[in-house]
Amino acid sequence: MASKIRNMEEFATVSGISRPTVSKYFNDPGSVRASTRARIELALERYDYRPNIYAMNQNRKLTKTIGVVVPLLSDPYFAEIARKLEQYCIAAGYRPTLFSSHGDPALEVEVLDTLRSLKPAGVLLAPLGRASDRNALKKFCDDVPTLIFDSSVDEIGLAFVGSDNFQFTSHITDYLCRTGEAPCFFEMKTPANPNAHRRRQSYLDAMARFGHKPDVISIEGEGWGFEEIGRLGGHEAFKKDRFSSNTILCSNDRLAIGLLTACYEQNIRVGRGDDCAIRVAGQDGHPHSRYTCPPLTTISHDYDSVSQTAVKTLFAAIEGQVSPWKSTRLEGRLILRDSA
Amino acid sequence: MASKIRNMEEFATVSGISRPTVSKYFNDPGSVRASTRARIELALERYDYRPNIYAMNQNRKLTKTIGVVVPLLSDPYFAEIARKLEQYCIAAGYRPTLFSSHGDPALEVEVLDTLRSLKPAGVLLAPLGRASDRNALKKFCDDVPTLIFDSSVDEIGLAFVGSDNFQFTSHITDYLCRTGEAPCFFEMKTPANPNAHRRRQSYLDAMARFGHKPDVISIEGEGWGFEEIGRLGGHEAFKKDRFSSNTILCSNDRLAIGLLTACYEQNIRVGRGDDCAIRVAGQDGHPHSRYTCPPLTTISHDYDSVSQTAVKTLFAAIEGQVSPWKSTRLEGRLILRDSA
DNA sequence: CCTGTTTCTTTACGCGCGTAAAATATTTGT
DNA sequence: ACAAATATTTTACGCGCGTAAAGAAACAGG
């Protein structure tokens, strides 16, 4: 009974519908009459046929593929947001394909090239940032409907969706100031992306607002191994007695995780208790931050909103809605834990 | 000069070579004469043409795509191994595509369906394990050359490549016994995959060998949130005073990370020092294990060897070499840190 | 220089599906 | 019940490339 169906022609025959109508169904099940749709779906259950993806996409101007590109998939933050982006894309009837630049600008360009040849309906791109090849990105955005997320590079693509880094740092600095010593700020001297610069500036602004003297500790280190950079930088800073406050706000959670390790190795007790020497806070709401020792106080991205907004904005643009370039920055939520 | 090339016909014209030869070149650059290859590559630089992937794959029996499927991409362990697999695939001239089952058996089946329609040259599959739909996996392996890695489910696919869980646990148990109290074993009652069972058994064997009484603490918890399961299970075990030894060997690093958090929350100092109450060790060499407090003693997968062996084995099979089903299990390397 | 081999060109067909146009059937509104 | 609106069928072409076959050209070796 279930002799294998080889192509749409055969499937159309067994379902008693003409091939063009079947084709129409696969491109949009809602575009055929309900009774027709029912007959097709009945046949679909009986015969287990799937149209050939390659033949489909060859003639379509617009594929149903959505490219999702993140700078570093082994960072659980990106893994998490990528997962949510995937979900929303699937829910919207698209086929997400995941790529990682693995922290390498050359790979980022390669990924973009691969993506171009996939003729995706759209791309959700979190650029590497500072190291990105701006021209390559710009050219890519000209060819493919691209929404930038997480970290903005110029005013590129259809729009930008990310977090409000100013609010992030302002909010957590406020909290730290009101609950103890005003924090100093722990960051990488040459950070990977512009978010870090916004956070530093926001820290400086907030400190000025409260009338405190700011102190920025900028540590050495290149690449995406933030934990190790934070750990080594932490040791260095302790050695040179660079921390002018007992409270340290880190530019991001991964740096904070490394700093916590350094604190442990220096035998410095971190937390809010009387027996603790310093307080440490991060920023990002990294999936791992709950499980550090002590658990890390941080300000978290609104993962759901960021990813949902990103997907919605992209699809609005794809489906013909023209709107000027726009930047959406969502607020973060303070997560109070033991570290600060 | 660089008027856009629309298809292979046009590109063949501008490069002064016939289309079938150009086609041959793209399928295997080494299959054409050196002088011909040079002319094509010269034109390639000047005109920036890339063959249409969809048209290419429509007629090829064997795509150059390799599917890489992991159970949970947001677990840095899988992210890391996926990254290495990707690298080796690219080096071999294939195009890896990454998928995650996100811990959901239904999604795993969906991924496999998607993959089937991509007609990949091969698939590197790390199954969910216990929750996997065995029949669906088996059927998939019949249709597509599939190599199973990380966690084996029956004798499915072309071969299995993973770590030697017996050696893992035996080795680290040995270490713990020789440096302090014999460990008890901390695990999930219903673990996600069979590796956990092997590790438990290996623990029991090792303890018998050393003449110690084994103690297995099996904690409740479902799903892939191992850290939280370990944390809650840890609290529960402390409450019930379930730990019969001051040394705890965890079934995996993520569980250990959760347990460390529980220890912190219980105000129990972990480590090797005299001021420490207990020792905790993990298994896997999780990317994060270096940055726990204290840094986690663990036994690490040989990420490079596992991924390289997996890719090599798959390609050997793809390229026609028939060999019987085989299981390769690689030894782990003990990583001594402060936690034990 | 000639022969045998390898590589390339020419010609031609097919893959599975998108899609357009015209004819026909079905549904909808009144 | 009938005209108008909508959906489906029929027919037909094209997309970009894989690939097969036969003949022409380039190459290697003696």
Side-chain angles (χ1 to χ4, degrees):
Chain A
M1 60 171 189
S3 60
K4 280 288 173 286
I5 304 296
R6 314 202 141 278
N7 54 35
M8 197 181 278
E9 193 72 56
E10 288 188 23
F11 178 75
T13 305
V14 300
S15 64
I17 306 285
S18 73
R19 190 180 66 76
T21 303
V22 171
S23 169
K24 203 156 170 261
Y25 166 84
F26 279 112
N27 289 328
D28 178 6
S31 69
V32 300
R33 202 190 299 144
S35 61
T36 311
R37 181 172 170 175
R39 290 169 68 192
I40 292 178
E41 280 167 357
L42 189 109
L44 216 43
E45 283 175 23
R46 273 215 272 269
Y47 290 94
D48 167 54
Y49 158 78
R50 303 190 61 170
N52 180 312
I53 291 188
Y54 300 109
M56 276 181 65
N57 289 334
Q58 176 169 13
N59 297 321
R60 244 213 284 268
K61 11 140 191 270
L62 228 71
T63 307
K64 281 284 184 183
T65 302
I66 298 288
V68 178
V69 187
V70 296
L72 190 73
L73 204 46
S74 52
D75 180 339
Y77 160 65
F78 287 115
E80 178 62 19
I81 202 155
R83 192 178 67 87
K84 294 214 179 285
L85 290 172
E86 276 192 318
Q87 283 180 342
Y88 289 119
C89 286
I90 291 172
Y94 287 78
R95 223 175 52 79
T97 310
L98 192 53
F99 295 89
S100 167
S101 309
H102 296 315
D104 178 356
L107 243 175
E108 184 174 61
V109 174
E110 259 183 57
V111 165
L112 261 36
D113 267 353
T114 303
L115 221 32
R116 208 193 301 266
S117 69
L118 284 180
K119 300 178 205 275
V123 168
L124 296 159
L125 170 64
L128 280 172
R130 184 169 54 83
S132 288
D133 180 338
R134 311 287 250 252
N135 286 330
L137 290 194
K138 196 163 278 175
K139 235 183 251 167
F140 180 80
C141 291
D142 289 344
D143 298 352
V144 182
T146 304
L147 182 133
I148 308 292
F149 71 95
D150 181 66
S151 150
S152 75
V153 172
D154 311 331
E155 292 199 358
I156 257 177
L158 302 166
F160 170 81
V161 175
S163 286
D164 182 347
N165 294 289
F166 284 99
Q167 183 264 344
F168 265 49
T169 312
S170 164
H171 193 32
I172 196 164
T173 303
D174 179 39
Y175 162 76
L176 293 171
C177 286
R178 284 190 294 96
T179 54
E181 275 186 33
C184 50
F185 192 77
F186 188 70
E187 63 158 19
M188 285 170 67
K189 184 181 283 173
T190 50
N193 72 41
N195 290 342
H197 296 118
R198 294 201 179 82
R199 289 175 181 183
R200 186 207 303 114
Q201 190 55 52
S202 174
Y203 163 76
L204 295 173
D205 294 351
M207 291 294 274
R209 228 166 30 242
F210 292 121
H212 292 128
K213 190 161 148 288
D215 179 22
V216 175
I217 295 118
S218 296
I219 62 175
E220 301 291 338
E222 280 292 325
W224 287 76
F226 299 168
E227 290 88 359
E228 188 61 11
I229 291 171
R231 190 181 72 87
L232 295 176
H235 279 301
E236 186 76 9
F238 283 124
K239 203 172 71 183
K240 294 188 179 164
D241 203 20
R242 271 294 284 112
F243 296 118
S244 59
S245 157
N246 74 2
T247 302
I248 305 172
L249 173 58
C250 298
S251 180
N252 64 63
D253 282 350
R254 292 183 60 197
L255 225 43
I257 288 169
L259 179 59
L260 287 180
T261 304
C263 289
Y264 177 86
E265 288 166 349
Q266 296 273 342
N267 225 329
I268 296 169
R269 196 162 166 83
V270 177
R272 297 187 283 185
D274 294 334
D275 54 337
C276 297
I278 66 171
R279 301 190 299 164
V280 171
Q283 301 185 65
D284 278 341
H286 194 280
H288 199 85
S289 61
R290 170 65 186 86
Y291 301 101
T292 56
C293 296
L296 188 64
T297 288
T298 185
I299 179 152
S300 176
H301 295 276
D302 186 337
Y303 288 83
D304 275 310
S305 293
V306 168
S307 39
Q308 195 169 5
T309 307
V311 171
K312 268 188 188 163
T313 309
L314 176 63
F315 286 161
I318 285 176
E319 278 149 24
Q321 187 182 314
V322 255
S323 37
W325 190 92
K326 188 180 133 196
S327 167
T328 308
R329 290 190 173 270
L330 298 161
E331 297 203 343
R333 194 166 47 82
L334 196 58
I335 300 184
L336 299 184
R337 301 210 185 94
D338 278 349
S339 78
Chain B
M1 60 168 187
S3 60
K4 282 288 174 287
I5 305 295
R6 314 202 141 277
N7 54 37
M8 198 180 278
E9 194 72 55
E10 288 187 24
F11 178 74
T13 305
V14 299
S15 64
I17 306 285
S18 73
R19 190 180 67 76
T21 303
V22 170
S23 170
K24 204 155 171 260
Y25 166 84
F26 279 112
N27 288 328
D28 178 6
S31 68
V32 301
R33 201 190 301 144
S35 61
T36 311
R37 183 173 169 176
R39 289 168 68 190
I40 293 177
E41 280 168 357
L42 190 109
L44 217 43
E45 282 176 24
R46 273 215 272 269
Y47 291 94
D48 165 54
Y49 157 78
R50 304 191 61 170
N52 181 312
I53 290 187
Y54 300 109
M56 276 180 64
N57 290 334
Q58 177 168 12
N59 297 320
R60 242 213 286 268
K61 353 110 218 286
L62 228 72
T63 307
K64 280 284 185 182
T65 302
I66 298 289
V68 177
V69 188
V70 296
L72 190 73
L73 203 46
S74 52
D75 181 339
Y77 161 65
F78 287 116
E80 179 61 20
I81 201 154
R83 191 177 68 87
K84 294 214 178 282
L85 291 172
E86 275 191 317
Q87 283 180 343
Y88 289 119
C89 286
I90 291 173
Y94 287 78
R95 225 174 51 77
T97 309
L98 193 52
F99 295 89
S100 167
S101 310
H102 295 315
D104 177 355
L107 242 176
E108 183 174 60
V109 174
E110 259 185 54
V111 164
L112 261 36
D113 268 352
T114 303
L115 221 34
R116 209 193 300 267
S117 70
L118 283 179
K119 300 179 204 273
V123 169
L124 296 159
L125 169 65
L128 281 173
R130 184 170 52 85
S132 287
D133 179 338
R134 308 287 248 254
N135 286 331
L137 290 195
K138 196 162 278 177
K139 236 184 248 168
F140 180 80
C141 291
D142 288 344
D143 298 353
V144 182
T146 303
L147 182 133
I148 308 291
F149 71 96
D150 180 65
S151 149
S152 74
V153 172
D154 310 329
E155 292 200 359
I156 258 178
L158 302 167
F160 170 81
V161 175
S163 285
D164 181 347
N165 294 289
F166 284 98
Q167 182 265 343
F168 264 49
T169 311
S170 163
H171 193 30
I172 196 164
T173 303
D174 178 39
Y175 163 76
L176 292 171
C177 287
R178 285 190 294 96
T179 54
E181 274 186 34
C184 49
F185 192 77
F186 188 70
E187 62 157 22
M188 285 171 67
K189 184 181 285 174
T190 50
N193 71 42
N195 290 342
H197 296 119
R198 293 203 180 81
R199 289 176 181 182
R200 186 206 303 114
Q201 190 54 52
S202 174
Y203 164 76
L204 295 173
D205 295 350
M207 291 294 275
R209 227 167 29 241
F210 292 120
H212 293 128
K213 190 163 149 285
D215 180 21
V216 175
I217 295 120
S218 296
I219 60 176
E220 302 289 337
E222 279 293 322
W224 287 77
F226 299 166
E227 290 88 0
E228 189 61 12
I229 291 172
R231 190 180 73 87
L232 295 176
H235 279 301
E236 186 76 10
F238 282 125
K239 203 171 72 185
K240 294 189 180 162
D241 203 19
R242 270 294 283 111
F243 295 116
S244 59
S245 157
N246 75 1
T247 302
I248 306 172
L249 173 58
C250 300
S251 181
N252 64 63
D253 282 348
R254 293 182 61 196
L255 226 43
I257 288 169
L259 179 59
L260 287 181
T261 305
C263 288
Y264 178 87
E265 288 166 351
Q266 296 272 345
N267 227 329
I268 295 169
R269 197 160 166 83
V270 176
R272 296 187 284 183
D274 294 333
D275 54 337
C276 298
I278 67 173
R279 299 189 300 165
V280 171
Q283 301 185 66
D284 279 341
H286 194 280
H288 200 85
S289 61
R290 171 65 187 85
Y291 300 101
T292 56
C293 296
L296 188 64
T297 287
T298 185
I299 180 154
S300 175
H301 295 277
D302 186 338
Y303 289 83
D304 274 309
S305 293
V306 169
S307 39
Q308 195 169 5
T309 307
V311 170
K312 268 188 188 164
T313 309
L314 176 62
F315 287 161
I318 286 175
E319 279 149 23
Q321 185 183 314
V322 256
S323 37
W325 191 91
K326 188 180 133 194
S327 167
T328 308
R329 291 191 173 268
L330 298 162
E331 297 203 343
R333 196 167 47 81
L334 196 58
I335 300 185
L336 299 183
R337 301 211 186 92
D338 279 350
S339 78

